[in-house]
Amino acid sequence: MAAEMRQPKPLHFLLLLATASLCALARTVKAAGGGGMPLVTAITKDAATSLYTAPLRDNRPLVLDLSGPIVWTTCDGPSHDTLDCSSHACMRAHRFQPPNCPQTGYGEPDARNRCKCTAHPHNPVSGDTASGDVTRVTLSANATDGKNPLYEVSFTAVASCAPGSLLAKLPAGAAGVAGLARSDLALQAQVADTQKVGSKFALCLPSAGSGAGVAIFGGGPLFLLPPGRTDVNATLAGYTPLRKHGESPGYYISADKGIAVNQARLQLDDGYGAPLVLGLCSTIPYTALRPDVYRAFIKAFDATTAERARITPAVAPFELCYNSTQLGSTRLGYAVPQIDLMLEGGRNWTVFGGNSMVQVSDDTACLAFVEMKQGEADKQGESPAAVIGGFQMENNLVVFDEEKQRLGFSSLLWGRQTTCSNFNFTMAA
Ligand SMILES: *[C@@H]1O[C@H](CO)[C@@H](O)[C@H](O)[C@H]1NC(C)=O
Ligand SMILES: *[C@@H]1O[C@H](CO)[C@@H](O)[C@H](O)[C@H]1NC(C)=O
Ligand SMILES: *[C@@H]1O[C@H](CO)[C@@H](O)[C@H](O)[C@H]1NC(C)=O
Ligand SMILES: *[C@@H]1O[C@H](CO)[C@@H](O)[C@H](O)[C@H]1NC(C)=O
Ligand SMILES: *[C@@H]1O[C@H](CO)[C@@H](O)[C@H](O)[C@H]1NC(C)=O
């Protein structure tokens, strides 16, 4: 088997590493995971597509995709290096096949009869899949102490090239997709390998029209302004085990006691309504519920808000819209019934007005949940009961911890008088 190619690291990077480890020695502290510093990046919500991006590729954005097993990007012409089919990375690139894409071997022989590794980059929005060479690219972010960016770090990552046409439906200027799924070639796994940090990351997605949100790769604390606040990560509302679902590399959790609306558990066709499999997806704007769950959910929310002033007809794709001038507000958003995801481990992920009601016009707010599309939902029993989408994760800290195989969640940060747009991105002096 051919040895994996290693590119020489730029000198400044080695110097930074040396400095970082000296500091660590001097303070005789060691960060969890293996001694390196976690990396921080800004997250932007694209107004046109509702996708979340981070400027990881030469300051060009990559779309964050919790369901993607690889990093893919357009490559500069044919001059890039391509990994060997027999390399470790090539095998890892083939561990997960995109939907509707049969395993077609690892690659193709080139003119000199060397087998060049190809992978199948997948666009989570258009649903298209392409073929591309597996290569190495440079990504960058900042090292962080959880309070500020400290210094810029560039690192080499295995990525699949993709044709420019695969960028369709992604935000203008995006250079590809950073997969964050539970796979060896996902971004956080490659950060863990190259930076010697833990295989975990925290996402704090921003809401539309507010400043940048924040992602931290590799563990560690996360402080949000104003100063003096405690580490959000150290004071999460709860944890729940990460579960597998079929062959999917994505993130799943179990609502083993079901879902409650206004403290009452939804009764489903099976007569009980639990346990339910929940997925998490950063490339759908709103949580999608399987049709049986959706009907029960809408019925329950409708019944508990029977007295509230409605806007009819509702604004598609939503089914329940209200005159928001009459809803009343709390520090957690509109004063509407709370939704409890009663998770394995005993804690609730509680969805308050700020994450359940979306403002669609000046005086109209709608219940921001949609019915799972046919096809996603037709294999009943096999499709999760719900896939939690971007809007429901905004202004919550969500921690994906592969080491402990668990998911941590903060609940809506407005309750702590802060938001995901309050990380201090000023470089520490
Ligand atoms: C590092 O942080 C600085 C200060 O916020 C920012 O200007 C720069 O773009 C960041 N670098 C990367 C690669 O994100
Ligand atoms: C959050 O806290 C947990 C438990 O204390 C720790 O293992 C982890 O490294 C921290 N940070 C992140 C981003 O997971
Ligand atoms: C979770 O939510 C349910 C339904 O609203 C409630 O009965 C239960 O007390 C909550 N559990 C916790 C631990 O908050
Ligand atoms: C919403 O309620 C306000 C106050 O009662 C009223 O002035 C307004 O016309 C209502 N808007 C709609 C679209 O019904
Ligand atoms: C942000 O961090 C910088 C660098 O540490 C600091 O000078 C500044 O006061 C911080 N900003 C706020 C609002 O705390």
Side-chain angles (χ1 to χ4, degrees):
M1 187 188 296
E4 253 186 281
M5 264 190 308
R6 292 214 184 274
Q7 286 185 349
K9 294 210 164 67
L11 184 59
H12 71 266
F13 178 62
L14 290 176
L15 284 175
L16 287 175
L17 265 183
T19 317
S21 47
L22 279 179
C23 296
L25 272 180
R27 279 185 274 135
T28 60
V29 292
K30 198 159 176 278
M37 291 295 267
L39 301 185
V40 65
T41 185
I43 302 180
T44 302
K45 183 174 188 178
D46 179 63
T49 60
S50 294
L51 294 168
Y52 306 91
T53 66
L56 294 158
R57 174 105 168 101
D58 298 328
N59 277 314
R60 285 184 70 194
L62 297 181
V63 171
L64 300 177
D65 180 6
L66 286 172
S67 312
I70 58 173
V71 176
W72 65 260
T73 175
T74 49
C75 291
D76 318 318
S79 60
H80 58 260
D81 284 330
T82 304
L83 302 194
D84 258 30
C85 295
S86 56
S87 66
H88 215 59
C90 190
M91 286 172 211
R92 291 169 156 191
H94 289 269
R95 170 81 179 77
F96 297 101
Q97 290 296 305
N100 310 319
C101 181
Q103 170 68 265
T104 52
Y106 283 162
E108 293 154 15
D110 66 6
R112 284 172 293 133
N113 227 18
R114 182 178 80 108
C115 179
K116 290 170 61 178
C117 183
T118 58
H120 299 292
H122 175 72
N123 179 321
V125 184
S126 67
D128 292 339
T129 300
S131 271
D133 293 343
V134 176
T135 185
R136 290 180 199 276
V137 298
T138 303
L139 300 180
S140 44
N142 280 296
T144 187
D145 56 2
K147 293 184 171 132
N148 294 92
L150 300 178
Y151 50 86
E152 209 159 284
V153 173
S154 290
F155 58 97
T156 303
V158 174
S160 173
C161 294
S165 58
L166 198 65
L167 298 172
K169 300 197 174 169
L170 300 187
V177 167
L180 296 171
R182 305 178 71 183
S183 129
D184 292 333
L185 288 186
L187 177 64
Q188 78 284 0
Q190 299 203 58
V191 171
D193 278 353
T194 59
Q195 309 303 304
K196 308 296 172 227
V197 291
S199 190
K200 52 188 146 186
F201 63 102
L203 281 189
C204 207
L205 299 179
S207 50
S210 53
V214 58
I216 290 190
F217 295 94
L222 174 69
F223 296 90
L224 296 168
L225 292 170
R229 285 287 149 75
T230 51
D231 170 11
V232 182
N233 178 51
T235 54
L236 294 176
Y239 289 96
T240 190
L242 285 172
R243 295 288 174 212
K244 300 273 187 204
H245 185 64
E247 294 293 296
S248 167
Y251 294 90
Y252 295 89
I253 54 180
S254 171
D256 64 350
K257 295 187 191 65
I259 297 176
V261 172
N262 203 25
Q263 319 272 330
R265 186 172 58 215
L266 296 181
Q267 301 295 316
L268 301 183
D269 297 341
D270 65 7
Y272 186 61
L276 300 176
V277 175
L278 313 180
L280 291 104
C281 179
S282 54
T283 57
I284 58 171
Y286 304 104
T287 296
L289 302 175
R290 205 173 57 203
D292 57 318
V293 181
Y294 182 76
R295 293 270 40 106
F297 177 73
I298 292 291
K299 201 174 146 206
F301 205 89
D302 189 19
T304 70
T305 55
E307 269 96 74
R308 307 298 187 90
R310 303 298 171 95
I311 302 291
T312 51
V315 180
F318 307 115
E319 211 168 309
L320 292 178
C321 296
Y322 303 84
N323 184 330
S324 58
T325 66
Q326 299 184 36
L327 278 179
S329 289
T330 72
R331 66 194 175 118
L332 297 167
Y334 286 123
V336 293
Q338 72 182 49
I339 300 158
D340 286 306
L341 312 177
M342 297 181 282
L343 300 179
E344 185 179 0
R347 293 303 184 93
N348 293 339
W349 178 331
T350 302
V351 181
F352 299 100
N355 289 117
S356 63
M357 305 299 293
V358 61
Q359 195 77 41
V360 298
S361 67
D362 276 354
D363 53 6
T364 306
C366 298
L367 181 63
F369 290 75
V370 297
E371 186 168 7
M372 217 174 263
K373 285 198 216 76
Q374 218 60 48
E376 285 168 5
D378 53 13
K379 283 183 272 170
Q380 284 269 344
E382 281 182 46
S383 48
V387 179
I388 300 171
F391 187 78
Q392 275 71 37
M393 287 187 260
E394 289 176 2
N395 292 316
N396 287 249
L397 183 70
V398 187
V399 180
F400 300 84
D401 188 339
E402 190 62 43
E403 290 182 340
K404 297 196 174 121
Q405 306 219 356
R406 65 183 189 175
L407 181 101
F409 47 95
S410 69
S411 186
L412 184 57
L413 295 173
W414 295 354
R416 309 174 188 216
Q417 278 106 38
T418 191
T419 73
C420 284
S421 302
N422 275 338
F423 187 77
N424 186 346
F425 277 106
T426 305
M427 202 69 105

